[in-house]
Amino acid sequence: MRPAIDGARLIARLKELGETGRDTEGRLCRLAGSDADKAGRDLLCRWMHAAGLRVEIDRIGNIHGLWQPGGAEGDPVMIGSHIDTVIDAGIYDGCLGVLAGLAVIEAMQAAGIRPSHPLALVAFTNEEGVRYAPDMMGSLVAAGGMEVAEALATIGTDASTLGAELARIGYAGEREPGFLTPRAFLELHVEQGPVLEAGALQVGVVDTLQGISWQRVTIGGTANHAGTTPMALRRDAGVAAARVVTFLDRLARGTAGAVATVGTLRLAPDAINVIPASAVFTVDLRNPDDACLRDLEAALETCLDELRAEGLAVTTEPLARFAPVRFDPGIVATIEEAATERRLTWHRMTSGAGHDAQMMARVAPSAMIFVPSRDGISHNPAEFTDDSALVIGADLLLDVAGRLCR
Ligand code: GLV
Ligand code: MN
Ligand code: MN
């Protein structure tokens, strides 16, 4: 019997997980290590246990579910993504990849498939990086790109410590991160961008992922009276920050493939009649070409030097820096073959978003499958993908996983 995804169960779970961890205003906000994260993790673990998976948690809180039926030997084919979210998130980002991975294993079980290699489902800790930087932290640690002790010691935006929060919610596991060496890693994700919808395509075969540079910038000026201080005598950290924001916007608009975002900005003392004494903001720069990304970083530094020359105190702190990634050509080709066999319309593409597969590509042949996002919207509660499109993606994931574990 040819295995098939139980689409109704996949969609029902996505919705149930999507209702888990909402805040008092109804916003989905499962930040890493939070009570909401715990609620999502508990639900996922319940489903994993029900599927008969051996659930193992590592020291950075990554959740693994191993399916090793008789005769399956060697390193596992790993499928997964993340279930932490941004603030006021949609229900698909990350969760689709995890729940589709579970559905793949269940579909093989239901069809009586006996894989030659085990399958491992994984939900990585802190992919979003909203509370603790860098993003993709759980997969980065599992791939050996960051020491687990350093990751656990990360201080969050709310002054919490990731390690303490994982212990508090009961997800500081004992396995060493990276205890499983996947023979391949697969991640299904919503595109989170407009390309597939615009091209009326059902699937994106992701062969590359752009580079990401995150830093925190602090500008120090002088607090003074808003009414008495002449414009020429001000050292206004808020104005300086605004200049950087508009500089980056113009820079990215004028650079092929570049995007630049200032997503957080805090002024202090934050009072209507006080000139800001400090501005602290984050910068997110991305480009598929690493040399170009370095040029963007250098241009920002030049802009900050101009502010320093004007007497403002400017410091920067690196938060994340990931080079562009090229996924495994063999797995990319396998996805294309499987998509063609299913008569899907597909297209090779680059991922604009960061993903755990980007980290796992350091240690295993990896690739990703995208399904369309309505209006290209993500990191927003309006994030939406048709149920049928989700199931198409999950069935394709099933076909590819089936070929890789045979
Ligand atoms: C993760 O969602 C990222 O690309 O920032
Ligand atoms: Mn994601
Ligand atoms: Mn995301």
Side-chain angles (χ1 to χ4, degrees):
M1 167 175 139
R2 185 177 186 186
I5 293 293
D6 183 337
R9 184 169 59 189
L10 171 61
I11 303 305
R13 283 178 179 162
L14 258 176
K15 290 185 176 155
E16 187 175 347
L17 184 55
E19 285 310 311
T20 306
R22 290 193 175 258
D23 67 13
T24 47
E25 288 151 56
R27 303 182 310 170
L28 181 57
C29 197
R30 279 197 308 267
L31 299 184
S34 64
D35 290 337
D37 187 19
K38 172 181 166 48
R41 286 165 174 270
D42 289 351
L43 184 58
L44 174 64
C45 286
R46 184 148 62 70
W47 288 329
M48 288 165 85
H49 280 122
L53 306 189
R54 196 175 87 225
V55 177
E56 306 249 27
I57 318 284
D58 69 17
R59 292 174 59 210
I60 193 67
N62 296 326
I63 302 172
H64 307 79
L66 209 70
W67 181 48
Q68 184 161 18
E73 281 171 9
D75 293 330
V77 172
M78 187 180 275
I79 309 174
S81 190
H82 61 97
I83 65 163
D84 68 308
T85 74
V86 295
I87 298 165
D88 205 8
I91 68 169
Y92 304 92
D93 179 356
C95 301
L96 172 63
V98 174
L99 297 179
L102 179 56
V104 163
I105 294 174
E106 290 169 327
M108 290 190 188
Q109 292 172 336
I113 302 271
R114 307 295 297 255
S116 311
H117 307 296
L119 277 98
L121 175 66
V122 62
F124 289 111
T125 294
N126 188 35
E127 190 273 349
E128 294 291 6
V130 168
R131 191 180 184 198
Y132 305 100
D135 50 351
M136 281 83 73
M137 189 186 275
S139 48
L140 177 66
V141 171
M146 185 179 191
E147 289 296 329
V148 63
E150 183 191 352
L152 292 172
T154 308
I155 308 294
T157 50
D158 54 0
S160 64
T161 304
L162 176 58
E165 285 292 88
L166 286 173
R168 184 183 68 78
I169 65 168
Y171 282 90
E174 292 186 346
R175 299 306 302 249
E176 278 308 315
F179 72 97
L180 291 175
T181 317
R183 65 192 313 107
F185 180 78
L186 296 172
E187 183 170 1
L188 170 66
H189 208 285
V190 288
E191 180 200 342
Q192 309 180 272
V195 173
L196 294 176
E197 185 179 68
L201 295 158
Q202 290 167 297
V203 163
V205 181
V206 186
D207 61 352
T208 47
L209 196 151
Q210 69 177 340
I212 303 176
S213 164
W214 281 8
Q215 45 193 309
R216 181 181 295 121
V217 180
T218 302
I219 300 180
T222 305
N224 208 339
H225 197 292
T228 63
T229 315
M231 296 308 286
L233 298 182
R234 295 172 179 226
R235 285 172 71 248
D236 185 330
V239 171
R243 281 168 54 192
V244 179
V245 173
T246 52
F247 169 80
L248 289 173
D249 187 66
R250 229 174 280 134
L251 175 70
R253 284 173 196 276
T255 309
V259 286
T261 307
V262 173
T264 76
L265 169 61
R266 276 195 336 268
L267 300 179
D270 197 23
I272 188 168
N273 55 356
V274 183
I275 295 165
S278 86
V280 182
F281 56 96
T282 51
V283 176
D284 175 320
L285 298 173
R286 305 193 193 202
N287 196 283
D289 177 50
D290 206 46
C292 188
L293 185 55
R294 281 197 299 273
D295 289 345
L296 296 171
E297 293 169 322
L300 168 62
E301 203 43 45
T302 303
C303 170
L304 298 179
D305 279 341
E306 282 167 18
L307 298 177
R308 290 182 183 109
E310 292 173 23
L312 292 146
V314 183
T315 56
T316 60
E317 181 193 346
L319 297 176
R321 182 62 169 83
F322 300 120
V325 166
R326 184 168 296 281
F327 286 125
D328 181 75
I331 300 187
V332 169
T334 303
I335 297 171
E336 289 175 347
E337 281 161 26
T340 301
E341 219 165 81
R342 279 194 178 262
R343 298 180 190 283
L344 301 176
T345 52
W346 57 266
H347 167 85
R348 268 195 191 207
M349 62 188 297
T350 297
S351 170
H355 294 293
D356 292 307
Q358 173 183 5
M359 300 302 137
M360 296 310 286
R362 297 177 180 204
V363 290
S366 304
M368 298 187 69
I369 299 168
F370 279 174
V371 287
S373 292
R374 186 173 68 192
D375 299 331
I377 297 221
S378 183
H379 285 187
N380 181 318
E383 182 180 85
F384 180 79
T385 300
D386 274 332
D387 291 353
S388 60
L390 298 168
V391 178
I392 284 171
D395 269 318
L396 180 59
L397 181 70
L398 170 62
D399 289 355
V400 175
R403 289 172 191 219
L404 295 178
C405 73
R406 216 176 280 145

